[in-house]
Amino acid sequence: MPSNASPADSLVPLIERRQRELREMTRRADGLLARGGRAGAGSPAAFAAYARPSANQWLLSGGSVDEYLDALAPELDALPPTSSGRVWAPSGHRVGIVADRFIYQSFDGLARLVPLTLENYAEHLGDIDVLLIVSTWRGLDDSSWSGVATAGTRRRRGLVEDLIPAYRRRGVPVVFYSKEDPPNYERFLPIARECDVILTSAVEKVEDYVRDCPRATRVAPLKFGVNPLHHSPIGSRPGRSDLVYFAGSWLPQKYPRRTAEGLALFDGILAAGRRLGIVDRHADLGGSDPRYAYPPELRSFTGRARGHAELMKLQRISDIAVNLNSVSESQTMFANRALELQASGTLVLSTYSKGINSDYPQVHIANSPMDVAGALDALSFEDLRRAQADGIRKVFSDDHAQLRMNDILRAAGFDVTADAPRIVALAPDADDALRSAMAAQSAGPVEVVDPDGLARLEADIVLPLSADLRYGVHYAKDMAAAFAYADADVVAKSMLPLAGADAVSHRFLGGGRQQLHATAWWTAGGGGGARSALVEALSGPATLDLDAVGRAGLTTYGLDAFGVGPAATTPPEAAHGAVPEAVPATAAVEAEPRPAGLTLSVIVPIYNNGDHLRHKAFASLLRCSVFGQMHVILVDDGSTDGSTPETIAELEARYPNVSSYRFPPGGSGSASRPRNKGLELTDTEFVTYLDPDDEMVEDGYAVMLEKLRSTDADFVVGDMVRWDDTRGVVRNVRRLKEVMPRKQGLLIPDAGTLARLQFNPISIEAVAARTEWLQGLGLEQPVGAVGQDTFFFQQMLFYARKVATVNKPVYAYYAAVSGSVVNVVSPRYFRKYLPLEEARAAWMEEVGLIEDYRRLRLEFFFKKWYLRKLAFVPTEDYDEAAAVVARLGRMYGDYDWQDPDVRAFWREMDDRAPRESAARV
């Protein structure tokens, strides 16, 4: 790269190539349409959608984004006011704050905030409990702290040399919070060094701050939060805008990867024929500044900048919106818009982020334009509302900004207690099923008591229940989350069918009747009349008179229709998430009749990850053009979280081509057991595998299925998208073609293929096989082992006669998981490899490949995987973990290790052996 080139220059060709690809897809689509072809969901022809009559035809007719948004003004004005909710009481601490508008509004109303400047800080020296310095560019008023991010400026010197020392001399704890990590770590580091406590939006920077800021007494991560005064779903149903919109800056030079991924996301929205709108923060520049200019092909979809209050309201009336992440490689730092949109009841389409993918599976991560288009085409009304409901529950349970403010105060040394609300259920006719449902609640076990004790009951939230209804695992958490943003006395779940429920959801209800046993009552601090009203309601019919509730001076907030339904046999579309009867741990696959014509079994091994199953793996299958030909086999390895079995049961009840098998609770330790069972139960012609937190992409199963049907290959292999810090493509097909001869378009393996491949792994999720052939091999993945799928592929390749290939990605693998590697690597982690290496070593010996494996793969894998992971083991666990790693290496017999690092490890183990022997003596 030339010395005067920026890192962004290297990604400019990527963006330009992306634009060329879109134009080529459109050209091919036009040709197909001209020949009378039909554009299917996610097909190349779909990419011509915005060129033909569609939701964006209004632009071709002379309309504009600004005209559309201006016309929404009456809808925005009609929105009810937001509220702070009941659950979290604001802190009485006085917080002097240096921040921009974004952070200030996040904490607005949650503590006694005092905005500080160089001009007024001396006036408040005696009335501040804690000083909070947030990384900022211009300050709350866009001017008072302008330049503070730059070293040597007057405001930087004033902050570091005057303001901070003045408060420190008064004994006021000084907290620095960086919301700009990791990209701006160095820029704000000099400010951080002057502070007592350091909080960072990126957990990955904690160790750097510990190293670089020796005076800090505490360093910790702090995620963004949502403030119900500004981010709220109240009034969000039904959605009044069909605009899929993004509000913000483009920044193509500063964040080229974000730009490329954003282009792909916008392409997909247009491909689906959705109405796209972009609120350009720098529209006043007219596209003249290349640092902020949207590309020409998007400018017709852009409008002027809008005020913060207007944008917060627009979020509330929009069903779908876009989030772009400037940082993708952090587990805790991502664009706060992803949280704000979810809090507003909006489905989020987002570019990739480690943290979002790990913790918010209901957010759709854009893999490609084709997959975004397919997701929007396949999105049903129920799936839309469910994803929105899951997002609301998640952010108001885990990401309320009061929780963040409390974390700041505790880090500064204040004793802040804020317990979650105590929830108690009332049921005079409680049976075992009802008590079990409450014991399994995701909010924690809910005690079920007799209503006679209501007056003496110590509870913040009371749930009147009935054995005639069935309650989902998130029922109590949904109710508690609603009280976190709605200043209501009663929260009511709707018992109407989903479409009808929209009319009474996320709004305050002024009258009518409601099922009493689908309500929650706020009774903290005496209940403010709620207890007496509930006592009266319990003595009457099962339907609650909301007019009477209103006359008692109480307010009722209407929630959604998920998580409660009749206990009797009910069509799943009426119950909306009510838990069907549990299927025993037997072959339910064989018990239910299935549609004819199913040809491809998709085996999904599951354990305590039902949310990812629903929103990632299964959602990706729904957008596949051959979903109707799939038999989806959901194999639960014994989930214990309550939510996962409920999700599996709901999917099985809803889709006739979905079956399940459930092992007793407890789990086997890996995906091997459920995968083995899934293959045993498969009776279709072809079979493949998909993990619940991964996704089928690019209509990959349709392409692989066609390849198997048109050839006599034993299996077909495609490429893999791999997401870690960023997106990459693993070129499986190219690697295989380099080591195998071809005949009539197929690859022909032989006894030396694995050696020529150097035993490099390929995931079985990128493979579809003939079931009869695969079952006939009699292979089993080692139970309890991790990494077993790549060994399984090695065996498949060894025994195959012919292999077909698909030269495109067919699935996306998400390598990053919640929590850093430091926190998850333990002796137990390495023990999970013992059954794998034992089985692999035995098989390699059996088929005569052991010497090749030792020569070509063993040492490389031992160093790059096991020893690299060993470096992350906590000191107190190191000896135990190292002993397990040594067992793994010895499974392949005597070997003359050559690598210096590996030899050093073995010397360490040899030195430890006499010491351990002496200690035992």
Side-chain angles (χ1 to χ4, degrees), residues 102 179 224 246 258 322-328 332-342 348 350-353 356 360:
F102 156 58
K179 63 177 178 58
F224 296 134
F246 170 71
R258 170 187 184 265
V322 171
N323 172 68
L324 303 182
N325 295 297
S326 302
V327 175
S328 63
T332 57
M333 169 60 180
F334 42 82
N336 194 50
R337 191 176 303 277
L339 301 182
E340 294 177 358
L341 289 169
Q342 291 182 83
V348 183
S350 178
T351 58
Y352 174 73
S353 153
I356 291 177
Y360 307 90

Side-chain angles (χ1 to χ4, degrees), residues 351-415:
T351 58
Y352 174 73
S353 153
K354 267 187 182 180
I356 291 177
N357 180 69
S358 294
D359 296 336
Y360 307 90
Q362 63 274 7
V363 173
H364 179 81
I365 301 293
N367 260 292
S368 70
M370 184 178 292
D371 280 297
V372 172
L376 290 173
D377 286 344
L379 184 65
S380 70
F381 181 67
E382 178 173 348
D383 291 335
L384 170 67
R385 288 290 182 256
R386 187 184 293 276
Q388 292 166 332
D390 287 354
I392 293 170
R393 179 196 317 118
K394 171 66 177 176
V395 298
F396 281 108
S397 297
D398 298 345
D399 300 305
H400 197 294
Q402 188 67 59
L403 301 176
R404 305 294 184 259
M405 174 55 70
N406 294 344
D407 288 340
I408 292 171
L409 295 171
R410 275 190 287 265
F414 295 98
D415 183 15

Side-chain angles (χ1 to χ4, degrees), residues 775-824:
Q775 289 176 334
L777 297 180
L779 302 176
E780 286 207 351
Q781 300 181 36
V783 174
V786 294
Q788 72 286 7
D789 60 327
T790 55
F791 169 44
F792 193 69
F793 175 82
Q794 290 169 338
Q795 294 177 298
M796 289 176 64
L797 186 59
F798 181 82
Y799 293 118
R801 302 169 296 106
K802 299 177 183 179
V803 176
T805 57
V806 171
N807 196 24
K808 63 176 292 182
V810 295
Y811 99 101
Y813 166 61
Y814 294 91
V817 295
S818 295
S820 69
V821 171
V822 176
N823 292 329
V824 300

Side-chain angles (χ1 to χ4, degrees), residues 96-108 113-117 132-149 159 176-181 184 188 201 224-225 227 230-231 254 281 308 333 336 340 405:
I97 185 169
V98 173
D100 57 20
R101 185 181 296 116
F102 156 58
I103 285 294
Y104 185 89
Q105 290 183 333
S106 291
F107 295 137
D108 182 23
L113 300 183
V114 180
L116 298 179
T117 67
L132 176 61
I133 308 293
V134 184
S135 55
T136 183
W137 302 98
R138 291 180 295 274
L140 177 59
D141 57 2
D142 287 330
S143 63
S144 59
W145 286 105
S146 182
V148 73
L159 177 65
F176 174 74
Y177 175 34
S178 176
K179 63 177 178 58
E180 303 291 342
D181 288 334
N184 293 290
F188 291 99
S201 56
F224 296 134
N227 185 334
H230 300 282
H231 321 122
K254 186 175 183 179
R281 187 176 298 167
H308 181 266
M333 169 60 180
N336 194 50
E340 294 177 358
M405 174 55 70

Side-chain angles (χ1 to χ4, degrees), residues 3 72 89 146 170 221 223 247-248 269 290 378 381 421 453 493-494 516 543-544 588 593 598 694 844 901 905:
S3 59
L72 290 175
S146 182
R170 293 289 186 117
K223 290 173 60 177
I269 295 169
F381 181 67
K493 284 271 189 179
S494 175
L516 171 64
T543 55
L544 177 66
L598 303 184
D694 295 332
M844 293 285 183
D901 293 331
F905 169 77

Side-chain angles (χ1 to χ4, degrees), residues 681-695:
L681 297 172
T682 296
D683 59 5
T684 56
E685 186 176 1
F686 308 109
V687 62
T688 188
Y689 300 86
L690 184 65
D691 284 355
D693 48 3
D694 295 332
E695 294 177 296

Side-chain angles (χ1 to χ4, degrees), residues 312-570:
M312 294 302 98
K313 289 184 176 182
L314 180 60
Q315 290 179 176
R316 284 203 273 164
I317 68 168
S318 300
D319 270 332
I320 307 174
V322 171
N323 172 68
L324 303 182
N325 295 297
S326 302
V327 175
S328 63
E329 66 273 17
S330 175
Q331 285 286 359
T332 57
M333 169 60 180
F334 42 82
N336 194 50
R337 191 176 303 277
L339 301 182
E340 294 177 358
L341 289 169
Q342 291 182 83
S344 302
T346 306
L347 174 66
V348 183
L349 307 178
S350 178
T351 58
Y352 174 73
S353 153
K354 267 187 182 180
I356 291 177
N357 180 69
S358 294
D359 296 336
Y360 307 90
Q362 63 274 7
V363 173
H364 179 81
I365 301 293
N367 260 292
S368 70
M370 184 178 292
D371 280 297
V372 172
L376 290 173
D377 286 344
L379 184 65
S380 70
F381 181 67
E382 178 173 348
D383 291 335
L384 170 67
R385 288 290 182 256
R386 187 184 293 276
Q388 292 166 332
D390 287 354
I392 293 170
R393 179 196 317 118
K394 171 66 177 176
V395 298
F396 281 108
S397 297
D398 298 345
D399 300 305
H400 197 294
Q402 188 67 59
L403 301 176
R404 305 294 184 259
M405 174 55 70
N406 294 344
D407 288 340
I408 292 171
L409 295 171
R410 275 190 287 265
F414 295 98
D415 183 15
V416 178
T417 58
D419 297 327
R422 182 167 187 257
I423 307 173
V424 176
L426 304 178
D429 57 348
D431 55 16
D432 290 343
L434 187 59
R435 294 185 184 279
S436 295
M438 289 299 105
Q441 289 294 297
S442 60
V446 174
E447 182 184 6
V448 181
V449 301
D450 191 274
D452 291 342
L454 174 59
R456 302 179 303 278
L457 196 60
E458 293 185 5
D460 301 306
I461 299 172
V462 174
L463 308 175
L465 305 180
S466 170
D468 293 333
L469 298 180
R470 181 167 293 131
Y471 300 91
V473 70
H474 296 307
Y475 180 77
K477 182 174 279 191
D478 277 344
M479 297 302 201
F483 283 119
Y485 60 80
D487 189 7
D489 301 289
V490 183
V491 172
K493 284 271 189 179
S494 175
M495 297 294 291
L496 295 172
L498 197 58
D502 233 31
V504 292
S505 295
H506 289 294
R507 64 186 61 207
F508 286 94
L509 305 176
R513 305 192 73 83
Q514 169 65 37
Q515 166 59 258
L516 171 64
H517 301 110
T519 61
W521 299 66
W522 184 258
T523 58
R531 287 179 187 254
S532 58
L534 179 54
V535 169
E536 182 177 349
L538 289 170
S539 64
T543 55
L544 177 66
D545 184 353
L546 296 184
D547 293 293
V549 172
R551 288 193 297 271
L554 305 179
T555 57
T556 302
Y557 184 77
L559 207 50
D560 52 50
F562 294 108
V564 61
T569 302
T570 304

Side-chain angles (χ1 to χ4, degrees), residues 849-889:
L849 291 174
I850 189 70
E851 291 301 326
D852 286 337
Y853 185 80
R854 288 194 291 205
R855 175 173 55 88
L856 297 169
R857 180 71 178 173
L858 175 60
E859 190 158 9
F860 172 85
F861 183 73
F862 189 83
K863 175 182 177 178
K864 295 295 184 180
W865 190 256
Y866 292 134
L867 293 191
R868 184 176 68 86
K869 296 286 189 182
L870 186 61
F872 291 111
V873 173
T875 303
E876 62 271 20
D877 294 330
Y878 182 86
D879 288 351
E880 182 182 353
V884 179
V885 171
R887 285 183 61 190
L888 292 167

